[in-house]
Amino acid sequence: MSSTSQHILKSKIEHGRVKVKSTIQQEEEKRKEREKKLKVFVSARDAVFKKRSAGENDEEALQLTQQLLSSNPDFATLWNYRREILMHLETLREKDDVQKLFETELNFIEGCLKVNPKSYGSWHHRTWVTERMPRPDWTRELGLCDRCLSLDERNFHCWDYRRMVVKVSGVSVEQELQFTDRLIGSNFSNYSSWHYRSTLLPQLHPQSASDSAPNASSSHTASPQTHSHRVCEEQLLTEYELVHNAFFTDPNDQSSWFYYRWLLGRGVRESETVAVAFSKPDHVLSVGLMLVLDGQPLQLCDLPAGCISNINNEHNLTIHWTKKQTRKDCGLFTGSVECWCRDSATDQELFRSELSVEKTTVLQAELQSCNQLLELEPQNKWCLLTIILLMRALDPLGHEKETLAHFQTLKEVDPMRSSYYSDLCSKFLIENTILKMEYAEVRVFSLSNKNLTTLCHLDQLLLVTHINLSSNQLVRLPPQFAMLRCLEVLEADDNAIENLEGVYNLPKLEEISLKNNLLASCPKLTRVDLHGNPVSEIADLQSQLAQLLPMVTSLSL
């Protein structure tokens, strides 16, 4: 073979594929072909729109829309017109002929799904067709879902359609759970299957009323819906074993870890918290509460003038939560100028669920399993994060030092999510500090030099008089600060604070220290005082803040 022939052969066949050179002539031919197809499409589209405007719901219109949707199944207007045509044809045909009409339609939709398996219009139209068919073949529809999911196991359009088919066809929850067994068994990374499993387990293996939290006060028998989100302990143990196999097989796959966290969270009690703060009585909104002052019922509104002006008398304030039929009493005793009534974070376990001996044993075993995996995979972020959450559930104060060390490792191995880990760590530190503060029965909240990046649970600090947030990484004091009605001293030196909107309406605030922050670089501070009156332009920052905070006697910048 000549060198020229070898060169031609080499230029045409590379990596086992024929390489075709693009030429100006070939590009021109392709352009003309596209223009030709576009003209045909536009012509058919215009014909369809003309027929729809004329109200012509006939076979020809059905064929024209089929021609267009076969090449572009995401043309929503055409699907709408097609449904109008089918509904008209329904009225003209016998039941058996309508059945055949819709069977043909299903075949057509299946072809459209081959063009785009995630076509919103195609899946929606298929749902509409099956709901109108005289005799839908649900076995066929489940088979279609199986084929689509075998090609793309995360096709959420198909998952949604499958759930509809399962519901109307009466497929049992147990059969669907076995379906997820099969998919997960063939691929542990099938996130959609894990998620679907989480919706099925509470239905098939619900936690019984007798297994609910020991401090539950209700004595009536709960309906199945009451515990529909919880799974019985026996099945949880089986699920733990399944998910262990998954993340020990591939510790870096997130699907099984998300499911694992869902399992561990099944025992968490969903608490409901109501905070009532009276910053301005004329702005109080009714949220299903009623006040009773000294036996006189009051809707949330202005208190009667002078009703509690005499400190020589005792006063009783009762808050009724009408929707839950519960109440809280708060007494202002003789000689007192303030009183409060609040649920303790330690007593009510606001930051974690109350664990039985059995649940504690299970979680300790899970923590041990994760620690074993961490020894094999010391930089696995999913394992580290799960260990932190387990430690929080078991003993947040006892595991605080280990938790902080794990957070530091997380930031190093997953720097892209460092801010998320910092915020989560800040949340846990604040919760721990609130618990320590309540155990010590003090009204001082100190979290200086803890690298805090965010503030939360301010509703638990309503009675605090002194807060120290110095030497952290805070950039703002949020509006929720306005809840701290008893706050007298605020220390927030050495942060990166640019915004103080949360401190302008604190009635008892006397001392503020804001040294080494970024307030001076803030281009514009709030120009109204606590009564909403405009504040004159003042160039000096300290003078400006002094006018915005007239109650403050000590301001350090």
Side-chain angles (χ1 to χ4, degrees):
M1 181 181 296
S2 66
S3 60
T4 302
S5 300
Q6 290 176 346
H7 176 75
I8 293 173
L9 181 61
K10 183 178 180 180
S11 67
K12 289 187 176 182
I13 302 178
E14 291 183 3
H15 306 293
R17 296 184 179 181
V18 176
K19 181 180 179 181
V20 179
K21 289 185 177 181
S22 296
T23 65
I24 296 177
Q25 183 179 5
Q26 288 173 324
E27 289 296 332
E28 181 64 19
E29 291 175 355
K30 290 180 181 179
R31 186 187 66 80
K32 290 180 178 180
E33 182 65 23
R34 286 195 299 269
E35 286 186 354
K36 182 180 178 181
K37 290 181 179 179
L38 180 59
K39 287 180 180 179
V40 173
F41 185 89
V42 170
S43 176
R45 182 202 63 189
D46 292 344
V48 167
F49 285 172
K50 184 177 180 180
K51 291 182 73 67
R52 192 186 191 193
S53 298
E56 299 178 9
N57 299 322
D58 52 20
E59 291 281 357
E60 182 184 4
L62 201 63
Q63 290 301 317
L64 284 171
T65 55
Q66 180 171 332
Q67 175 187 337
L68 294 169
L69 289 168
S70 295
S71 59
N72 180 14
D74 295 306
F75 203 147
T77 302
L78 299 183
W79 287 116
N80 290 337
Y81 184 29
R82 197 167 180 85
R83 283 189 283 276
E84 294 170 7
I85 299 169
L86 291 171
M87 285 190 292
H88 174 69
L89 295 178
E90 268 186 304
T91 64
L92 305 178
R93 302 189 181 187
E94 298 295 332
K95 186 175 181 179
D96 289 343
D97 292 331
V98 171
Q99 176 72 18
K100 292 178 181 178
L101 176 67
F102 283 130
E103 287 176 354
T104 302
E105 189 70 6
L106 290 178
N107 291 332
F108 163 62
I109 300 171
E110 196 166 334
C112 293
L113 290 174
K114 292 178 181 178
V115 176
N116 181 7
K118 294 184 178 181
S119 167
Y120 284 88
S122 299
W123 285 108
H124 175 69
H125 189 64
R126 194 172 190 91
T127 301
W128 182 85
V129 170
T130 53
E131 288 176 346
R132 296 186 73 89
M133 285 184 74
R135 298 182 300 277
D137 186 350
W138 299 119
T139 302
R140 169 186 172 171
E141 298 310 298
L142 286 173
L144 173 68
C145 292
D146 289 348
R147 294 196 300 276
C148 289
L149 292 177
S150 66
L151 297 173
D152 181 0
E153 60 198 17
R154 296 194 180 191
N155 186 334
F156 68 89
H157 301 274
C158 185
W159 278 108
D160 287 342
Y161 183 73
R162 181 186 178 89
R163 279 189 280 270
M164 182 278 295
V165 172
V166 167
K167 182 178 180 179
V168 299
S169 63
V171 176
S172 69
V173 177
E174 186 173 9
Q175 286 177 282
E176 285 301 277
L177 194 64
Q178 292 172 356
F179 174 68
T180 65
D181 286 336
R182 178 162 55 86
L183 293 184
I184 292 171
S186 62
N187 181 10
F188 279 140
S189 187
N190 194 327
Y191 180 84
S192 298
S193 295
W194 288 112
H195 175 264
Y196 191 31
R197 190 175 186 86
S198 72
T199 66
L200 298 171
L201 279 175
Q203 300 178 53
L204 191 61
H205 301 286
Q207 178 183 0
S208 63
S210 59
D211 294 332
S212 58
N215 61 345
S217 59
S218 176
S219 60
H220 66 277
T221 303
S223 63
Q225 290 79 8
T226 304
H227 296 286
S228 61
H229 64 298
R230 298 183 180 182
V231 181
C232 68
E233 293 292 329
E234 183 179 356
Q235 185 61 32
L236 280 177
L237 295 176
T238 303
E239 296 301 306
Y240 288 147
E241 183 177 353
L242 172 64
V243 79
H244 285 175
N245 291 335
F247 62 64
F248 269 93
T249 300
D250 186 359
N252 293 313
D253 182 73
Q254 64 182 3
S255 302
S256 55
W257 285 108
F258 278 127
Y259 183 68
Y260 187 44
R261 286 177 62 178
W262 175 81
L263 289 174
L264 295 174
R266 288 307 82 207
V268 175
R269 178 168 54 88
E270 296 181 359
S271 61
E272 297 176 347
T273 302
V274 174
V276 181
F278 298 93
S279 58
K280 291 186 178 181
D282 58 333
H283 289 299
V284 174
L285 300 177
S286 176
V287 288
L289 297 176
M290 184 175 69
L291 303 182
V292 177
L293 178 62
D294 296 336
Q296 298 298 317
L298 298 170
Q299 291 296 328
L300 294 186
C301 60
D302 289 340
L303 296 179
C307 65
I308 54 175
S309 59
N310 188 353
I311 63 173
N312 294 318
N313 297 327
E314 290 188 4
H315 300 278
N316 184 68
L317 179 68
T318 301
I319 299 177
H320 291 271
W321 189 5
T322 56
K323 293 182 179 179
K324 302 290 286 188
Q325 296 183 341
T326 56
R327 57 181 282 172
K328 286 289 181 181
D329 294 305
C330 186
L332 182 64
F333 299 108
T334 301
S336 299
V337 295
E338 65 176 1
C339 63
W340 57 81
C341 177
R342 61 183 295 270
D343 291 330
S344 166
T346 53
D347 292 342
Q348 297 297 318
E349 300 286 359
L350 295 180
F351 303 138
R352 65 190 186 102
S353 63
E354 184 175 353
L355 301 177
S356 64
V357 175
E358 294 78 9
K359 288 181 179 179
T360 300
T361 302
V362 169
L363 293 185
Q364 287 173 339
E366 295 305 308
L367 179 58
Q368 184 178 0
S369 296
C370 288
N371 280 324
Q372 292 173 355
L373 179 58
L374 190 64
E375 293 178 3
L376 302 174
E377 301 281 344
Q379 294 190 323
N380 185 281
K381 65 178 182 180
W382 299 107
C383 188
L384 284 164
L385 185 57
T386 303
I387 287 175
I388 289 173
L389 298 176
L390 283 167
M391 287 179 172
R392 295 293 303 170
L394 287 165
D395 186 0
L397 296 179
H399 289 296
E400 181 175 300
K401 186 176 181 180
E402 295 169 273
T403 297
L404 294 176
H406 287 323
F407 268 121
Q408 185 59 39
T409 305
L410 269 175
K411 295 175 188 178
E412 294 170 358
V413 301
D414 190 14
M416 285 185 62
R417 296 168 182 80
S418 178
S419 296
Y420 166 72
Y421 299 133
S422 294
D423 286 352
L424 188 61
C425 184
S426 298
K427 175 178 178 290
F428 290 164
L429 280 171
I430 290 172
E431 291 175 355
N432 285 1
T433 303
I434 291 173
L435 293 176
K436 295 173 186 177
M437 182 181 69
E438 292 199 351
Y439 283 127
E441 296 183 353
V442 296
R443 296 175 68 180
V444 177
F445 181 80
S446 180
L447 259 179
S448 61
N449 198 26
K450 297 295 185 181
N451 294 316
L452 294 186
T453 57
T454 188
L455 295 174
C456 61
H457 296 308
L458 294 177
D459 58 299
Q460 295 300 315
L461 304 178
L462 300 180
L463 305 179
V464 167
T465 60
H466 188 145
I467 290 181
N468 187 350
L469 300 171
S470 299
S471 302
N472 285 297
Q473 301 174 31
L474 300 171
V475 298
R476 65 195 292 259
L477 298 178
Q480 291 81 358
F481 241 74
M483 290 190 291
L484 309 183
R485 315 304 294 170
C486 298
L487 186 63
E488 299 172 2
V489 180
L490 170 62
E491 297 180 70
D493 299 332
D494 302 306
N495 280 279
I497 296 173
E498 301 176 350
N499 191 309
L500 291 177
E501 62 179 317
V503 304
Y504 293 146
N505 293 303
L506 297 179
K508 294 190 175 183
L509 188 61
E510 298 178 355
E511 299 179 25
I512 302 180
S513 185
L514 297 166
K515 300 173 184 176
N516 300 323
N517 279 282
L518 301 179
L519 291 171
S521 66
C522 184
K524 198 172 187 179
L525 291 175
T526 303
R527 303 299 186 194
V528 295
D529 61 16
L530 62 98
H531 302 294
N533 300 317
V535 176
S536 60
E537 292 288 335
I538 301 176
D540 177 66
L541 177 63
Q542 184 146 350
S543 299
Q544 186 182 37
L545 287 176
Q547 188 167 352
L548 288 167
L549 302 166
M551 300 295 292
V552 174
T553 59
S554 175
L555 176 60
S556 301
L557 296 177

